Amino acid sequence: MTEPQRLNCMKCRHYYVTWDPGAPRGCRAFGFKSQAMPSQLVLASSGKPCMNFEAKGKE
């Protein structure tokens, strides 16, 4: 079995930094904040890599 592809949340358009010191990282697509990177939390919870990843682009 191969290791799932690691996604870099900092390159995703849904990732944001919060003002909450207990949960400094957030995901707008899933609507949660956490201490860990959102993609790691999604992988640990579902066993699958994040399906909402969208690369940031020049808009």
Side-chain angles (χ1 to χ4, degrees):
M1 184 173 222
T2 62
E3 182 179 334
Q5 179 185 1
R6 291 187 132 199
L7 297 172
N8 185 352
C9 288
M10 296 180 93
K11 293 183 179 180
C12 179
R13 69 180 325 176
H14 302 295
Y15 175 78
Y16 68 101
V17 177
T18 74
W19 288 95
D20 185 351
R25 299 170 182 97
C27 176
R28 287 188 181 97
F30 285 111
F32 69 86
K33 300 185 292 186
S34 71
Q35 200 157 30
M37 280 299 212
S39 63
Q40 292 175 337
L41 195 58
V42 169
L43 181 61
S45 299
S46 68
K48 297 179 182 178
C50 179
M51 301 302 283
N52 286 328
F53 179 84
E54 290 181 41
K56 291 181 184 178
K58 294 183 180 180
E59 297 175 358

